[in-house]
Amino acid sequence: MRRGSFVQLILVAIAAAAAGTALALLPNWLPEPASREAGRIHFVFWFVTGICIFIFAIVAAVTTYAVINFRRKPDDDSDGPPIHGHTGLEIAWTAVPAILVTAIAIVSAIVLAKDDAAGANPLRINVVAQQFAWSFYYPSYANQKSDILRLPVDRSVVLRMTAKDVIHSFWVPEFRQKQDLTPGTNPTLHITPNKLGTYPVICTELCGVGHGLMRSRVVVMEPDSFETWARKKGT
């Protein structure tokens, strides 16, 4: 490859990487994370995005170079010269994706394992989904019921979920984690909220004509405020 061609490849790769990076960073794709688990998932998201931008830059550079330097002249219908595959390139474009996919799998497995590990003395809450509402029960506080999920900040929480009728899906965008609820099963979800505030609870599984209205809220409170609310409501 001539020096000029190599420089051309590099410049196109840089331009493609810059465009991909701008598309990833400039729009507000994700809300600010509000749990420890969300921070780890955020890392996986950007780790995978960085790999995708790297691959996109290489593919865009090679494609652009080929289009500019090897395009046919108008009305040229002749066959190209016979060529033989390049063993080194074939090994590279097989090995590199395999390594990257393995890296993504390892990082994802580590993050999922950490996110699934509940801390000491977690607050246990039973989440019940039904067409078209969420209900939250607190076994440690006389099994009181609330239509709003209230959580103390910086405390490990385990949600035990039940679907009464059809498949639902529990999702708080700021927590990043999503859990499907299938009738007859009781999946759990571990969350450690670390930012005060009010966030939406959304059902992301089409569950009937009222699916779009199946919303609630999660309120992350100071521990003292949560205890006051829980004990007062539980009396």
Side-chain angles (χ1 to χ4, degrees):
M1 180 182 292
R2 300 189 302 273
R3 178 182 176 85
S5 299
F6 182 74
V7 172
Q8 188 182 60
L9 270 174
I10 296 298
L11 291 177
V12 173
I14 292 174
T21 301
L23 183 62
L25 295 178
L26 293 181
N28 187 21
W29 296 111
L30 300 172
E32 285 296 316
S35 72
R36 294 178 190 172
E37 294 75 23
R40 300 187 189 108
I41 294 173
H42 221 169
F43 170 77
V44 175
F45 176 84
W46 289 114
F47 179 72
V48 175
T49 299
I51 290 175
C52 292
I53 292 173
F54 171 71
I55 296 296
F56 170 71
I58 294 175
V59 172
V62 173
T63 301
T64 303
Y65 175 81
V67 169
I68 293 174
N69 294 280
F70 301 109
R71 67 186 183 277
R72 286 293 187 182
K73 295 179 180 179
D75 300 323
D76 183 356
D77 297 327
S78 61
D79 292 334
I83 60 173
H84 187 274
H86 193 290
T87 303
L89 280 177
E90 292 175 0
I91 293 174
W93 67 48
T94 300
V96 171
I99 292 172
L100 294 178
V101 170
T102 301
I104 293 173
I106 292 173
V107 170
S108 299
I110 293 173
V111 167
L112 288 174
K114 288 185 176 181
D115 283 356
D116 197 43
N121 189 32
L123 173 65
R124 299 189 180 276
I125 302 172
N126 295 326
V127 179
V128 178
Q130 65 185 87
Q131 296 173 313
F132 300 98
W134 296 99
S135 299
F136 307 100
Y137 296 85
Y138 294 76
S140 299
Y141 299 91
N143 205 38
Q144 65 160 290
K145 176 186 175 183
S146 175
D147 295 329
I148 298 174
L149 178 59
R150 295 181 182 271
L151 304 176
V153 70
D154 292 325
R155 181 175 176 184
S156 177
V157 177
V158 175
L159 305 179
R160 183 178 183 273
M161 303 187 179
T162 302
K164 281 190 173 182
D165 36 40
V166 299
I167 299 176
H168 299 279
S169 188
F170 177 90
W171 184 45
V172 178
E174 288 77 7
F175 293 164
R176 296 292 188 272
Q177 295 162 292
K178 187 184 294 184
Q179 179 62 58
D180 289 347
L181 290 74
T182 304
T185 65
N186 298 107
T188 59
L189 187 66
H190 171 233
I191 298 171
T192 310
N194 61 0
K195 185 178 293 186
L196 299 173
T198 301
Y199 312 106
V201 176
I202 304 171
C203 177
T204 58
E205 184 73 35
L206 183 59
C207 56
V209 293
H211 164 70
L213 301 176
M214 191 169 171
R215 302 290 185 98
S216 183
R217 291 174 292 157
V218 52
V219 179
V220 181
M221 314 166 65
E222 292 286 0
D224 291 344
S225 299
F226 171 80
E227 285 291 330
T228 300
W229 169 83
R231 296 189 183 281
K232 181 178 180 180
K233 192 172 179 63
T235 57

